[in-house]
Amino acid sequence: MGATVSKLDKELVEEYVELTYFTKNEINKLYNKFAGLDDRISPDNFAQVRLDESQLKQLPEFRANPFLHRLIEVFSTSDALEDGDRSLSFEDYLDMVNVLSEKAPFNLKAHYAFRVMDFDGDDFIGPADLKWIINTTARNDKQRLDREELKHLTTAILEEADLDKDNKIGESEFEHMLKKSPDFMESFQVRII
């Protein structure tokens, strides 16, 4: 990992405080954590250097996260995302950890959770998205569910969450489902600081 780095410009930190749920001290800690992953990063060039998934996996809070690649896809502002550039700038990283912070409100978390789970980007969570989610989260010793178990679970989720019975879950249906999940706010967060 990179060397100890200096703090960001105070005016920029103030701007980040206005745009996030973080304090000045937390912003500086997040910057130091981000910059510590790449020796090239300094307060003068941090906006130009992007970190890829392998670098972000060095952080304990993302090391075992099965959705890190989706988080990067959702939060990345890279123009080359369609070409497979899965990387985050510091501001992308700040946006991501802001949403994942314990201070972020339910509606913000629900919106981004929906985007992360919408693997095909069609603005719905359909059967294919659900199968991907289930296969990613319901592994036992790296074994996936068999075809029948997967079909049964997908059908059960759609029966519960698909209120308009169109065989897909829209964002409002997803949010409604999350409101019934008492542990969502804790599960869609990472301890960053």
Side-chain angles (χ1 to χ4, degrees):
M1 289 199 196
T4 304
V5 291
S6 58
K7 291 187 177 184
L8 291 171
D9 175 75
K10 288 181 181 181
E11 288 180 22
L12 187 58
V13 172
E14 288 288 340
E15 185 178 327
Y16 290 151
V17 166
E18 290 295 318
L19 297 171
T20 68
Y21 297 101
F22 296 120
T23 65
K24 292 177 201 176
N25 187 39
E26 290 169 334
I27 298 284
N28 281 309
K29 284 181 180 180
L30 288 167
Y31 168 76
N32 287 333
K33 186 178 262 201
F34 183 84
L37 296 173
D38 193 317
D39 290 332
R40 300 173 299 159
I41 300 174
S42 73
D44 298 325
N45 74 353
F46 77 95
Q48 289 79 40
V49 179
R50 303 180 69 80
L51 299 183
D52 65 24
E53 183 174 354
S54 67
Q55 290 170 298
L56 292 166
K57 277 189 173 182
Q58 293 176 41
L59 297 173
E61 57 269 24
F62 295 118
R63 189 170 293 132
N65 189 320
F67 295 103
L68 179 58
H69 71 285
R70 282 296 300 151
L71 287 164
I72 293 170
E73 288 175 0
V74 167
F75 286 95
S76 179
T77 57
S78 172
D79 292 335
L81 191 59
E82 291 176 7
D83 298 329
D85 174 23
R86 288 181 177 48
S87 64
L88 296 179
S89 67
F90 175 68
E91 289 187 355
D92 296 339
Y93 169 76
L94 191 59
D95 286 343
M96 179 176 73
V97 296
N98 184 52
V99 169
L100 295 172
S101 78
E102 61 187 21
K103 298 175 194 174
F106 173 84
N107 61 342
L108 183 66
K109 286 182 176 291
H111 171 74
Y112 280 99
F114 179 82
R115 290 189 57 206
V116 167
M117 302 302 167
D118 178 17
F119 290 93
D120 58 16
D122 67 353
D123 294 327
F124 293 97
I125 296 174
D129 296 313
L130 287 172
K131 287 175 184 174
W132 207 99
I133 295 164
I134 293 165
N135 277 328
T136 300
T137 57
R139 291 183 182 191
N140 184 11
D141 294 326
K142 300 199 183 220
Q143 291 181 325
R144 294 177 183 216
L145 297 174
D146 67 37
R147 194 174 277 158
E148 282 303 311
E149 291 171 316
L150 185 59
K151 183 179 178 182
H152 174 74
L153 200 47
T154 301
T155 301
I157 292 168
L158 283 171
E159 284 177 7
E160 176 71 24
D162 180 18
L163 302 176
D164 61 6
K165 304 302 178 199
D166 60 356
N167 204 40
K168 55 190 175 185
I169 301 168
E171 189 167 350
S172 62
E173 292 168 315
F174 183 77
E175 188 172 320
H176 178 75
M177 178 181 70
L178 292 179
K179 285 180 180 173
K180 296 194 285 184
S181 174
D183 61 342
F184 167 69
M185 290 296 284
E186 290 79 34
S187 64
F188 200 72
Q189 77 178 19
V190 293
R191 288 194 88 75
I192 306 290
I193 303 168

